[in-house]
Amino acid sequence: MQSRPPLPPFTLQSATEKVRLAEDAWNSRDPERVSLVYTEDTTWRNRAEFPVGRAAVRQFLQRKWLIELDYRLIKELWAFTDNRIAVRFAYEWRDDSRQWYRSYGNENWEFNSQGLMVRRFASINDLPIPERERKFHWPLGRRPDDHPGLSGLGL
């Protein structure tokens, strides 16, 4: 069976690493890459959608990044236990009319012993923002190590 370290039980260090790896994957905007961190039978709640299974997650992400253009995400560890992690996040994106948004949310993750995510629950709110209020300006892709996180940005 496939393994995705770091593996549970999580420590502060391994949970923080798991969160950054998830952020990096999502910032790739590659549905295939992102979907591989979930079990074949993963279950999600994302806003009002409830994808079940890796294939459904991949389709969801393909649709997402056709709508959410110039997507840049920051995740931050909130809490963890043996095989669960809670994060808060914010991401900025624009639609095809060039309206910018900052989306704020929280996620709860549950992992199997191989480090694959079995369940993901996400609650997300979108805030339209003027372009001048954007805070995420790095080139598309991975957030640079020296770029502030959510707390550093006052978010």
Side-chain angles (χ1 to χ4, degrees):
M1 179 175 231
Q2 178 187 9
S3 177
R4 285 285 178 171
L7 307 176
F10 296 112
T11 64
L12 176 59
Q13 180 180 344
S14 65
T16 301
E17 181 183 353
K18 195 76 159 176
V19 171
R20 182 58 193 243
L21 289 170
E23 176 187 314
D24 292 349
W26 281 69
N27 275 327
S28 76
R29 297 173 331 280
D30 179 345
E32 180 65 25
R33 176 182 172 188
V34 174
S35 72
L36 293 177
V37 305
Y38 302 97
T39 60
E40 287 288 344
D41 61 349
T42 191
T43 59
W44 279 27
R45 178 182 49 78
N46 193 96
R47 301 177 194 249
E49 291 192 55
F50 298 83
V52 175
R54 190 181 285 168
V57 165
R58 197 169 25 254
Q59 292 170 351
F60 169 87
L61 294 170
Q62 289 167 343
R63 287 191 319 272
K64 172 185 179 68
W65 288 315
L66 287 174
I67 297 165
E68 295 178 358
L69 307 173
D70 294 327
Y71 175 96
R72 292 169 178 85
L73 165 74
I74 300 175
K75 291 184 183 282
E76 184 174 279
L77 177 65
W78 186 253
F80 68 94
T81 62
D82 292 337
N83 71 328
R84 293 180 174 169
I85 296 176
V87 300
R88 67 187 199 98
F89 64 87
Y91 63 91
E92 293 180 350
W93 59 282
R94 66 171 179 83
D95 64 19
D96 59 1
S97 71
R98 303 211 51 87
Q99 170 62 58
W100 282 93
Y101 297 86
R102 184 172 306 118
S103 298
Y104 296 96
N106 300 292
E107 293 175 303
N108 296 309
W109 303 338
E110 183 178 342
F111 296 89
N112 66 14
S113 60
Q114 290 77 37
L116 295 169
M117 197 179 301
V118 177
R119 296 193 301 166
R120 174 183 176 266
F121 304 106
S123 298
I124 307 166
N125 299 298
D126 300 319
L127 174 68
I129 59 171
E131 186 170 4
R132 70 182 177 278
E133 289 184 17
R134 290 182 53 222
K135 295 179 182 269
F136 304 175
H137 294 284
W138 67 87
L140 289 176
R142 186 179 192 276
R143 177 174 55 100
D145 290 335
D146 63 349
H147 190 284
L150 295 178
S151 293
L153 291 168
L155 298 175

